[in-house]
Amino acid sequence: MSDELKSSRRAFLKGGAAATAGIAAAGAAGAAEGPDPLITELQDWASLTGDGVDATPYGLPIEFESDVIRRNVEWLTADTISSINFTPIHALDGTITPQGCAFERHHSGAIELAKEDYRLMINGLVDTPLVFTYADLERFPRENHVYFCECAANTGMEWAGAQLNGAQFTHGMIHNMEYTGVPLRTLLAEAGLPAETAGKWVYVEGADASSNGRSIPMEKALDDVLVAFKANGEALRKEHGYPVRLVVPGWEGNMWVKWLRRVEVMDGPVESREETSKYTDTLEDGTSRKWTWAMDAKSVVTSPSPQAPITHGPGPLVITGLAWSGNGAITRVDVSTDGGMNWTQARLAQPGQKMALSRFYLEIDWDGSEMLLQSRAMDDTGYVQPTKEQLREVRGLNSIYHNNCIQTWWVRETGEAENVEVS
Amino acid sequence: MSKSLKLFATAAAPAAAVLVVAYNFADRNVTAMPPLPDRSEAIAAYTAPPPSPLMAAVATEGDATAKFGLGRPALPEEIAAWDVDIQPDGTGLPDGSGDVWTGEELFEDNCAICHGSFGEGVDNWPKLAGGMGTLADEDPLKTVGSYWPYLSTVWDYVNRSMPFGGAQTLTADEVYAITAYILYNNDLVDDDFTLSKENFAEVELPNAGGFIVDDRAETEYPIWTGAPCMENCKDSVEITMRARVLDVTPEEDGAEEAAETMGAESSGGAPVEVAAAETTETTAEMAETEEAVVAVAADPELIATGEKVFKKCKACHKVGDGAKHGTGPHLNGIVGAAVGAKDFKYSKALTSLADSGAVWDEAALAAFLEDPKGFAKGTRMSFRGLKKAEDVAAVTAYLATFAE
């Protein structure tokens, strides 16, 4: 009950009369307690006029959605310039992440690089090292693909136990966009690859001060890696690498180099900072895995969740969430309301697509009792998302990266939810 | 090479074949102006459905040298400027050398403010030394000495990405010296050590053998594959840990309160305390200077330019409401303020300036911003300086808009 009041309090503050309707709707379905003034009384918006077409040349979300924003966890890093924020996945639906609230990860801040100042160099073991301008890139044949980008550290704070109370913080280092760009293989072929590409690598590097660089095996570079300049139909945002970023489908976000300035064909990996001292996964015995590029199948219930409590009481309830796999397409998601004892197959909103987010729904008739909500993803390789316990058995507690464990939300009778771990 | 690579190799073949088909049709006379090259077939090849596997197999034998003729050859100077990465065997290293003692001085000036004088790390900034033998512990300390596999990575990273806010400003000799000092801090070399291109490959880091290539395909995928349990999967379920008990989540009250707390979101009360504690007394002279600056600052265009110029500074210096110290002190109210007046760990260069009663008036700021190390020899500010006088004026005007 306290949560019902809390959530309606904001509605009351924001919308006045709307709050009254909110409380009425929160009760069991049935007869209205009286005529709804929102219907019986003439409202301003039904009588006066709204904004003209020139009010907002480029629109932002309406003020009522001002809490759907990226958030930072200050204690995680020393400085916001070399840090990460989180996508508000608890408040989104569908699968496409709007650019304006898609998580950011910078190592030296988001730079401003104009298209006219942009240069992309292809060098190393190629016939002719080349320099492309942005305008050059636009003249190559383009492709469109929807892919998720997940930071390898997503859920990384949860290895040792339930820490952050919200899907945004536990799973929000992810976004999913439709990219437009040129396949990297097209640009590599333009520079001329060696006759034998097996065993070769490309080193990709950004133009910002961090000079983030990663080594990618040639097989991947020639497969589906995209040199992208548009996302969700419009130019990339500054914070996502405007004007050009690399898209490395299914692989950890750190490899999706932003402000891409150079691709070097090499006969081995550079073993840069981001592929040795970071983005390597330490196991229980102290040895560490390297080159753990693929993001394994994973899912999370986005609502209800700690930041998206149930506000309507018992009755019809939509449980929804996201599932994805860097090794293929999501084929199935199961949901448990009792902490993993029993499972029900959820409904995929669309057939799963390779290396893209899938949205799932499970509609239930909630009796108002406590739930331990979990989701479990499966992909087309037959892989089943593991529990945290299963992951720990193999990796211990210090892997930091690639935590794709099953998440549990403890939903109380009040509808509020908490991040917990269960036996 | 890992298993996952083999998987990708099979997937790559058809995709590459599509490309080859396209190139076979692509026009090869891109330099000939008349007549206009006919690219319709190339375009058709790209928009057509993928060829059958048989066609693809034939096509891979074809001529893959056809080009679109876009871009231009990269010049040697351009490649030299950008291609500076260093491989584990030292390939790519420039000539040069540096010793531990030179490295110590450079480290103090350029690195210590974040990493500590001995690489012990300040606040949340990375620790660079220590932690030997802790990798299997509950809380491992991962440093250059305890974790990094290759020294080339250290040289490469210091050279390309450090210092923070002044990347690529160190000379090759300076990078050798700093790298030598980091080795010394990790007890891996003696204090008379000099690192050079010649002896670089002789240094092996302790954890070089501590890495294995991704083995999830063998150790994890087989056990987590197959039909999952659907009913009565365990005997009981108990809550073993709660996030609320730990209480480290930024917002306490969840999404409902987010809109109201947005403005103060970035931290729980700390900025207010800091701001209050750092309010400094303003002398009469300062007030006069401020007035003068405010008169200059009335030009909004200059302020806007200054805001852009300030991007070069803001990696280390914060301004505005709730600004806190970062790598450098926050700069609210700096124009006209006494040098070294903020509660910040200043270099000796700045504290001695402060002792002499120096004030950040326009002349002092201009001299400092144009040549930081020339104006205050020994300053930890690694910034190279603003070359244009108009940039100095603009950034001063911008800074003058922020009161203490």
Side-chain angles (χ1 to χ4, degrees):
Chain A
M1 193 59 203
S2 63
D3 274 85
E4 283 182 40
L5 286 175
K6 199 201 292 174
S7 65
S8 55
R9 184 175 72 85
R10 183 170 160 254
F12 185 79
L13 290 170
K14 291 266 182 201
T20 324
I23 288 169
E33 286 161 17
D36 184 344
L38 280 170
I39 297 171
T40 56
E41 291 174 12
L42 180 61
Q43 303 296 322
D44 282 352
W45 60 79
S47 183
L48 308 176
T49 56
D51 288 343
V53 292
D54 56 354
T56 320
Y58 192 99
L60 285 171
I62 196 165
E63 57 177 314
F64 311 127
E65 298 297 313
S66 59
D67 57 339
V68 184
I69 50 168
R70 299 184 276 232
R71 289 188 175 83
N72 173 30
V73 176
E74 191 170 298
W75 55 263
L76 272 180
T77 52
D79 193 308
T80 55
I81 288 171
S82 178
S83 191
I84 192 151
N85 61 22
F86 300 82
T87 308
I89 55 170
H90 64 286
L92 302 176
D93 212 319
T95 57
I96 295 295
T97 314
Q99 292 199 73
C101 66
F103 87 97
E104 308 165 57
R105 183 8 172 171
H106 316 305
H107 296 80
S108 289
I111 58 166
E112 274 183 21
L113 178 54
K115 282 178 184 169
E116 2 4 321
D117 296 336
Y118 179 78
R119 300 289 183 273
L120 174 61
M121 182 186 289
I122 311 271
N123 74 312
L125 305 174
V126 292
D127 298 337
T128 313
L130 292 177
V131 172
F132 299 113
T133 62
Y134 184 87
D136 291 334
L137 294 183
E138 286 189 311
R139 298 174 68 190
F140 285 101
R142 270 169 248 168
E143 294 184 3
N144 284 212
H145 297 279
V146 176
Y147 294 121
F148 76 81
C149 172
E150 184 185 18
C151 177
N154 200 17
T155 324
M157 290 83 78
E158 305 289 309
W159 272 107
Q163 271 217 68
L164 288 163
N165 208 25
Q168 178 169 23
F169 303 110
T170 56
H171 289 77
M173 295 182 193
I174 192 164
H175 57 60
N176 191 63
M177 302 189 196
E178 183 198 41
Y179 293 97
T180 300
V182 179
L184 178 57
R185 70 178 110 81
T186 304
L187 302 180
L188 290 171
E190 189 72 9
L193 283 172
E196 183 56 75
T197 57
K200 296 286 187 292
W201 295 66
V202 294
Y203 182 68
V204 291
E205 179 185 277
D208 63 318
S210 79
S211 190
N212 180 28
R214 291 293 301 256
S215 308
I216 299 175
M218 185 61 82
E219 290 86 341
K220 179 70 173 176
L222 294 178
D223 180 13
D224 55 5
V225 175
L226 207 59
V227 175
F229 37 84
K230 293 281 167 73
N232 299 345
E234 61 179 355
L236 292 165
R237 293 286 165 89
K238 172 176 77 170
E239 61 268 33
H240 300 128
Y242 179 95
V244 177
R245 86 171 305 168
L246 200 67
V247 167
V248 189
W251 287 17
E252 61 191 20
N254 182 258
M255 308 178 86
W256 296 44
V257 167
K258 298 188 288 189
W259 312 290
L260 179 72
R261 82 167 190 186
R262 196 169 70 89
V263 178
E264 180 179 1
V265 177
M266 305 185 76
D267 53 17
V270 165
E271 302 281 11
S272 70
R273 175 181 183 263
E274 306 291 324
E275 53 201 12
T276 53
S277 77
K278 306 284 174 189
Y279 302 96
T280 45
D281 316 349
T282 301
L283 303 172
E284 199 156 24
D285 67 358
T287 60
S288 303
R289 289 174 176 162
K290 66 174 183 177
W291 306 351
T292 47
W293 302 305
M295 302 306 297
D296 290 330
K298 184 167 173 179
S299 68
V300 64
V301 171
T302 53
S303 177
S305 66
Q307 296 162 289
I310 304 170
T311 56
H312 53 57
L317 168 68
V318 175
I319 298 170
T320 186
L322 294 166
W324 61 95
S325 170
N327 292 313
I330 291 297
T331 51
R332 190 177 123 188
V333 178
D334 297 330
V335 169
S336 172
T337 57
D338 58 10
M341 210 176 303
N342 298 287
W343 295 86
T344 308
Q345 193 172 331
R347 178 169 65 84
L348 293 183
Q350 307 266 350
Q353 290 185 42
K354 280 191 182 302
M355 294 127 180
L357 290 191
S358 284
R359 169 66 58 179
F360 66 86
Y361 296 103
L362 181 68
E363 294 84 2
I364 68 166
D365 186 6
W366 185 44
D367 63 5
S369 61
E370 281 191 2
M371 294 186 284
L372 288 167
L373 265 186
Q374 297 184 334
S375 64
R376 179 175 70 187
M378 276 152 271
D379 69 20
D380 56 9
T381 70
Y383 179 92
V384 183
Q385 183 183 1
T387 63
K388 204 186 276 189
E389 208 44 51
Q390 286 175 310
L391 278 172
R392 285 172 180 159
E393 273 172 33
V394 178
R395 303 189 202 166
L397 291 174
N398 286 326
S399 280
I400 303 173
Y401 306 103
H402 295 279
N403 183 350
N404 64 323
C405 71
I406 289 172
Q407 171 67 42
T408 309
W409 305 127
W410 181 21
V411 182
R412 313 294 287 273
E413 294 97 331
T414 57
E416 64 187 327
E418 183 180 351
N419 175 14
V420 296
E421 248 180 63
V422 294
S423 59
Chain B
M1 195 115 340
S2 77
K3 292 278 189 230
S4 55
L5 293 193
K6 287 175 188 157
L7 289 174
F8 280 110
T10 53
V18 176
L19 184 78
V20 170
V21 170
Y23 285 164
N24 285 342
F25 288 115
D27 183 84
R28 282 159 221 176
N29 290 322
V30 286
T31 50
M33 285 306 287
L36 279 174
D38 175 14
R39 295 168 197 268
S40 58
E41 281 185 296
I43 292 162
Y46 251 94
T47 51
S52 70
L54 181 65
M55 281 300 293
V58 174
T60 50
E61 303 300 319
D63 177 11
T65 58
K67 315 280 188 194
F68 289 88
L70 295 169
R72 60 154 178 92
L75 301 176
E77 305 92 298
E78 293 171 332
I79 296 172
W82 275 7
D83 183 358
V84 294
D85 57 67
I86 313 297
Q87 287 179 272
D89 63 1
T91 302
L93 279 170
D95 292 331
S97 66
D99 61 66
V100 168
W101 294 120
T102 308
E104 183 185 33
E105 271 181 43
L106 289 163
F107 195 89
E108 190 61 37
D109 289 349
N110 293 287
C111 324
I113 197 149
C114 294
H115 296 296
S117 295
F118 308 99
E120 75 275 18
V122 175
D123 300 334
N124 250 351
W125 295 106
K127 297 169 174 59
L128 303 182
M132 305 290 188
T134 65
L135 295 180
D137 293 358
E138 197 173 310
D139 194 12
L141 174 54
K142 297 179 173 182
T143 70
V144 171
S146 71
Y147 192 63
W148 293 37
Y150 305 109
L151 190 63
S152 60
T153 313
V154 182
W155 204 99
D156 186 39
Y157 189 70
V158 172
N159 182 48
R160 278 198 288 156
S161 313
M162 289 285 116
F164 194 62
Q168 305 200 15
T169 56
L170 298 167
T171 66
D173 284 345
E174 288 174 333
V175 177
Y176 278 109
I178 288 170
T179 307
Y181 182 66
I182 294 170
L183 287 172
Y184 172 73
N185 272 332
N186 280 287
D187 295 326
L188 297 172
V189 297
D190 293 326
D191 59 6
D192 60 355
F193 179 73
T194 299
L195 182 68
S196 66
K197 185 186 180 185
E198 287 68 38
N199 68 1
F200 196 90
E202 292 164 23
V203 183
E204 187 175 333
L205 295 183
N207 197 41
F211 292 81
I212 56 170
V213 173
D214 185 4
D215 64 349
R216 285 177 291 175
E218 296 92 62
T219 57
E220 296 183 1
Y221 298 166
I223 53 174
W224 298 333
T225 299
C229 172
M230 295 300 285
E231 285 180 356
N232 302 314
C233 302
K234 40 190 172 184
D235 295 333
S236 67
V237 175
E238 274 167 36
I239 292 169
T240 53
M241 186 159 181
R242 296 177 51 186
R244 274 204 190 156
V245 174
L246 204 61
D247 193 24
V248 290
T249 311
E251 283 90 12
E252 288 169 10
D253 298 316
E256 286 77 18
E257 305 296 312
E260 286 92 325
T261 59
M262 252 179 80
E265 183 191 18
S266 51
S267 60
V272 182
E273 284 167 34
V274 172
E278 283 166 9
T279 305
T280 48
E281 70 285 5
T282 312
T283 65
E285 295 94 324
M286 285 179 199
E288 270 171 37
T289 320
E290 270 180 344
E291 270 167 32
V293 171
V294 168
V296 175
D299 179 358
E301 238 174 75
L302 191 65
I303 294 171
T305 307
E307 186 176 1
K308 281 189 186 154
V309 176
F310 190 71
K311 283 181 181 160
K312 297 180 179 184
C313 321
K314 69 181 188 184
C316 303
H317 295 290
K318 311 294 179 209
V319 288
D321 289 344
K324 290 187 286 183
H325 296 323
T327 306
H330 80 74
L331 297 179
N332 287 346
I334 192 69
V335 180
V339 172
K342 295 179 189 296
D343 180 19
F344 182 79
K345 194 186 159 210
Y346 291 99
S347 62
K348 275 186 198 149
L350 284 207
T351 47
S352 62
L353 269 175
D355 293 343
S356 72
V359 170
W360 286 126
D361 56 22
E362 277 184 69
L365 267 178
F368 187 51
L369 291 177
E370 276 161 16
D371 182 10
K373 287 192 159 62
F375 178 78
K377 189 175 179 338
T379 177
R380 291 205 193 91
M381 190 164 91
S382 57
F383 186 61
R384 278 170 295 179
L386 293 169
K387 289 192 184 75
K388 296 181 197 160
E390 54 262 40
D391 282 355
V392 173
V395 86
T396 306
Y398 174 67
L399 287 173
T401 64
F402 296 97
E404 179 69 54

